[in-house]
């Protein structure tokens, strides 16, 4: 659905993105993550044909961003970080206006407005002035304008930024609903949000792809940081050095009473050795399980500590 190949963009001498290659398949909801200035908005603007790329190619629904931008605009709905709302307009009139701008035939405008009022759950405010509505409602109106021409793909730039926790939950639910019938590329700084909404993530850092996979896949590719969580019933004072003496264990961190976090050497299955020692020493095995990394752990690892050599 979206195919990006070696995409680059420079603003004068400043390179914003370089060598970006990724795909978003039909029906996927993909999170686009990166620290401030990583190049997320630049990439989204290029895919929506708002900004020209400096080099590389991208195709959206099979159409070329350089040659066939009109076809792409028909098929893409874009919610920029600041939604393009006219604060003095009434919701339904604004949406009809947006429909006209997006080329919806005049006769079909009332039904298009009616459709997005329903899809975005804003029917109850259709006669209200936009500027007097809460930010959560305004964001839904932003989504409604992005969908007014019934696009197959939605590109959402930080859709929950500036919302309060209840509004965030509402918009998140709405995006999850829309994800059932649309392909979505979504940028966000809120990592638990991406974990909840997205099936796959693309992490960019300094304009390049740092990782691209499902959450499970990312976890697996970073397995060198494997950790185990161990709970025992009767730890004695020698437990930490004894566990650290195991071949595959690189460090042991006590974490509360009778609980330990064990760092494992790269790709070494160490559970059996740890369990055997616990039983032999009579420490009483309560629980032994891998500590899975959160998206936040993965993101910080990729964007602060080190970079993957090649995107997966
Ligand atoms: N119009 C512009 N002129 C010059 N430099 C720009 C322009 N727009 C963006 N940049 C630079 O390009 C880089 C990427 O910016 P971009 O806005 O795409 O990042 P981002 O990942 O969306 O960041 P944020 O999360 O802060 O919105 C940054 O270094 C930014 O300063």
């Amino acid at each position: 659905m979206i195919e990006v190949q070696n995409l680059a963009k420079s603003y004068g001498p400043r390179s914003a993105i370089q060598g970006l290659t990724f795909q978003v398949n039909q029906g996927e909801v993909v999170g686009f993550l990166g620290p401030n200035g990583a190049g997320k908005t630049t990439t989204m603007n290029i895919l929506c044909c708002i900004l020209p790329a400096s080099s590389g190619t991208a195709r959206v629904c099979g159409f070329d961003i350089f040659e066939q931008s009109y076809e792409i605009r028909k098929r893409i709905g874009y919610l920029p970080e600041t939604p393009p709302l006219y604060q003095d307009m009434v919701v339904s009139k604004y949406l009809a206006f947006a429909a006209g701008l997006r080329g919806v035939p005049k006769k079909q405008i009332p039904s298009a407005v009616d459709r997005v009022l329903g899809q975005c759950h804003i029917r109850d405010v259709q006669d209200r002035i936009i500027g007097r509505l809460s930010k959560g409602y305004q964001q839904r109106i932003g989504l409604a304008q992005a969908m007014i021409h019934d696009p197959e793909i939605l590109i959402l730039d930080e859709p929950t930024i500036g919302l309060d926790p209840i509004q965030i939950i509402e918009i998140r639910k709405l995006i999850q609903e829309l994800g059932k019938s649309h392909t979505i590329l979504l940028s966000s700084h809120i990592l638990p949000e991406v974990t909840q909404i997205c099936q796959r993530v693309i992490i960019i850092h300094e304009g390049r792809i740092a990782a691209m996979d499902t959450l499970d896949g990312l976890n697996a590719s970073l397995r060198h940081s494997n950790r185990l969580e161990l709970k025992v019933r009767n730890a004695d004072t020698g437990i930490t050095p004894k566990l650290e003496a195991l071949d595959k264990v690189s460090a042991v961190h006590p974490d509360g009473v009778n609980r330990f976090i064990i760092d494992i050497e790269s790709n070494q299955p160490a559970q059996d050795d740890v369990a055997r020692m616990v039983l032999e020493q009579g420490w009483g095995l309560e629980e032994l399980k891998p500590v899975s990394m959160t998206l936040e752990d993965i993101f910080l690892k990729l964007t602060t500590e080190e970079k993957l050599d090649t995107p997966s």
Side-chain angles (χ1 to χ4, degrees):
M1 221 129 246
I2 299 177
E3 293 169 83
V4 173
Q5 192 72 43
N6 233 356
L7 204 65
K9 172 73 186 173
S10 299
Y11 297 103
R14 177 191 285 266
S15 163
I17 55 168
Q18 44 198 310
L20 283 197
T21 297
F22 66 86
Q23 283 192 359
V24 178
N25 302 317
Q26 182 159 15
E28 269 193 313
V29 180
V30 174
F32 200 41
L33 301 180
N36 288 117
K40 304 179 294 291
T41 302
T42 299
T43 309
M44 290 179 150
N45 280 337
I46 292 172
L47 292 177
C48 294
C49 305
I50 292 169
L51 193 69
S54 305
S55 61
T57 58
R59 298 184 82 80
V60 177
C61 301
F63 297 102
D64 181 84
I65 50 160
F66 291 103
E67 309 283 338
Q68 295 162 299
S69 64
Y70 177 72
E71 293 299 331
I72 292 176
R73 285 192 188 134
K74 281 202 290 198
R75 291 166 174 84
I76 255 184
Y78 185 33
L79 177 66
E81 201 172 321
T82 309
L85 302 178
Y86 287 103
Q87 299 286 324
D88 295 334
M89 283 181 91
V90 165
V91 173
S92 56
K93 295 232 163 61
Y94 164 72
L95 292 174
F97 169 72
L101 286 183
R102 301 312 298 256
V104 177
K106 217 169 173 182
K107 277 191 184 159
Q108 292 168 23
I109 288 180
S111 62
V113 171
D114 189 63
R115 174 177 47 77
V116 294
L117 287 173
Q119 281 177 313
C120 298
H121 309 299
I122 48 175
R123 211 179 284 289
D124 52 334
V125 296
Q126 62 180 307
D127 298 323
R128 302 268 305 272
I129 302 227
I130 293 174
R132 299 203 189 133
L133 294 171
S134 69
K135 198 147 192 310
Y137 264 113
Q138 294 198 17
Q139 198 67 346
R140 288 198 235 170
I141 295 161
L143 259 175
Q145 68 75 33
M147 296 169 56
I148 195 73
H149 55 303
D150 204 11
E152 298 157 58
I153 302 176
L154 291 174
I155 299 214
L156 312 176
D157 197 357
E158 301 276 356
T160 57
I161 204 160
L163 302 183
D164 71 29
I166 293 171
Q167 293 166 340
I168 288 176
I169 291 169
E170 285 171 0
I171 291 289
R172 207 181 275 164
K173 262 205 227 152
L174 179 55
I175 296 170
Q176 278 170 326
E177 254 173 67
L178 297 174
K180 292 177 190 154
S181 50
H182 293 81
T183 302
I184 299 181
L185 181 65
L186 159 121
S187 83
S188 178
H189 279 114
I190 306 170
L191 304 179
E193 170 169 301
V194 171
T195 314
Q196 283 177 28
I197 302 180
C198 302
Q199 295 134 15
R200 203 158 62 85
V201 292
I202 297 168
I203 299 179
I204 61 168
H205 181 43
E206 294 174 352
R208 292 178 180 278
I209 290 186
M212 176 165 54
D213 211 333
T214 58
L215 287 181
D216 287 347
L218 283 178
N219 248 319
S221 67
L222 294 168
R223 202 170 280 154
H224 58 278
S225 62
N226 248 1
R227 290 183 145 188
L228 295 175
E229 182 186 329
L230 169 69
K231 267 196 223 165
V232 297
R233 279 189 294 279
N234 321 297
D236 63 38
T237 46
I239 186 167
T240 300
K242 280 180 187 157
L243 285 170
E244 278 177 341
L246 287 171
D247 265 0
K248 297 164 186 168
V249 170
S250 55
V252 176
H253 315 278
D255 184 29
V257 181
N258 288 340
R259 189 171 173 275
F260 302 84
I261 301 295
I262 302 173
D263 288 343
I264 305 301
E265 301 279 355
S266 171
N267 283 326
Q268 297 279 343
Q271 281 98 323
D272 290 356
D273 294 356
V274 171
R276 196 172 304 117
M277 175 172 271
V278 172
L279 295 175
E280 283 170 5
Q281 298 289 328
W283 293 325
L285 184 58
E286 281 270 292
E287 196 171 13
L288 179 62
K289 62 177 185 188
V291 178
S292 59
M293 293 175 90
T294 63
L295 182 56
E296 195 159 3
D297 296 332
I298 294 169
F299 181 81
L300 287 173
K301 189 154 190 67
L302 289 172
T303 57
T304 57
E305 286 179 28
E306 58 186 289
K307 294 173 194 167
L308 288 184
D309 293 339
T310 47
S312 48

